[in-house]
Amino acid sequence: GESVGLHLPTLSVQEGDNSIINCAYSNSASDYFIWYKQESGKGPQFIIDIRSNMDKRQGQRVTVLLNKTVKHLSLQIAATQPGDSAVYFCAEIVGSSNTGKLIFGQGTTLQVKP
Amino acid sequence: DTAVSQTPKYLVTQMGNDKSIKCEQNLGHDTMYWYKQDSKKFLKIMFSYNNKELIINETVPNRFSPKSPDKAHLNLHINSLELGDSAVYFCASSSGTGTTQPQHFGDGTRLSIL
């Protein structure tokens, strides 16, 4: 079936430390993955994406790693700041090009301690 | 400038009523979506439209009827509201069919059924 799971519902880190949020997916045919950040009262906000022909992609302070062998995705946030506190979702595209749909994981709440 | 905007932001109504939620995007995207987020923050797709045509219709009660008057708008009408319809509803849009480009979300409509 379709499912995307995250290993931890809550992650608490000290300001300035690096954060790593993990995600496991089940569909080995998926070729596009996205990380979203959702702040309280807001909609999911795109952070970074990665296609299955890559194993690493870097953005500003964020890095996404994809391990297709074990169907694992992670989001690394460098020098975590209070503004990074939010719920983080991984998502995968399942299905063919015209009917493909975005399947979200359960979300990890990142808490940044000052 | 708001890219994906939904109205209203909050909707409180009685069981059995009919209500509509409106969504507009000014990104020039071809595809629009409706998602439902439950109290546990789980996000699930309901519908998607590409250039005003219904593409994805998940297992959603037929009390929910999306309407796309043009490709910049996707409204959601809900008949005979039930307690279980209480949730946050998110509209999103993407270029193409959304399987190779990220989806951009509005800030949600919080629907509460009394």
Side-chain angles (χ1 to χ4, degrees), chain A residues 87-103:
Chain A
V87 180
Y88 289 81
F89 294 94
C90 65
E92 61 174 330
I93 290 290
V94 172
S96 61
S97 60
N98 204 38
T99 57
K101 56 188 179 184
L102 200 55
I103 304 296

Side-chain angles (χ1 to χ4, degrees), chain A residues 37-44, chain B residues 9 37 41 88 90 106-108:
Chain A
K37 172 187 180 184
Q38 187 177 19
E39 296 173 281
S40 181
K42 300 279 190 184
Chain B
K9 189 170 174 65
Q37 187 171 47
K41 296 279 190 190
V88 183
F90 287 99
D107 281 338

Side-chain angles (χ1 to χ4, degrees), chain A residues 36-46 89 104, chain B residues 1-9 21-27 29 31-37 43 74 88-94 102-110:
Chain A
Y36 283 93
K37 172 187 180 184
Q38 187 177 19
E39 296 173 281
S40 181
K42 300 279 190 184
Q45 177 188 358
F46 170 79
F89 294 94
F104 281 84
Chain B
D1 288 343
T2 305
V4 181
S5 58
Q6 304 177 220
T7 53
K9 189 170 174 65
I21 308 172
K22 295 187 175 181
C23 179
E24 174 182 8
Q25 54 95 4
N26 62 6
L27 297 166
H29 287 164
T31 307
M32 295 185 72
Y33 311 80
W34 278 109
Y35 286 82
K36 179 179 180 181
Q37 187 171 47
L43 266 161
L74 181 62
V88 183
Y89 292 85
F90 287 99
C91 176
S93 72
S94 68
Q103 296 177 21
H104 298 264
F105 286 77
D107 281 338
T109 296
R110 184 174 293 276

Side-chain angles (χ1 to χ4, degrees), chain B residues 8-77:
Chain B
K9 189 170 174 65
Y10 299 97
L11 187 50
V12 182
T13 190
Q14 302 272 2
M15 208 164 49
N17 284 350
D18 304 338
K19 290 292 177 188
S20 291
I21 308 172
K22 295 187 175 181
C23 179
E24 174 182 8
Q25 54 95 4
N26 62 6
L27 297 166
H29 287 164
D30 301 313
T31 307
M32 295 185 72
Y33 311 80
W34 278 109
Y35 286 82
K36 179 179 180 181
Q37 187 171 47
D38 64 20
S39 58
K40 291 185 169 61
K41 296 279 190 190
F42 184 60
L43 266 161
K44 187 168 166 50
I45 188 165
M46 300 171 70
F47 302 101
S48 79
Y49 271 73
N50 178 264
N51 283 314
K52 302 195 296 174
E53 283 192 42
L54 181 65
I55 301 296
I56 293 174
N57 185 349
E58 287 293 282
T59 310
V60 176
N62 58 14
R63 297 182 295 104
F64 290 78
S65 51
K67 283 193 170 49
S68 183
D70 55 62
K71 74 173 194 176
H73 295 84
L74 181 62
N75 304 322
L76 184 65
H77 188 77

Side-chain angles (χ1 to χ4, degrees), chain A residues 11-29:
Chain A
L11 177 66
S12 187
V13 300
Q14 205 69 38
E15 182 179 355
D17 286 353
N18 296 336
S19 303
I20 300 176
I21 301 172
N22 294 304
C23 178
Y25 63 94
S26 62
N27 192 326
S28 55

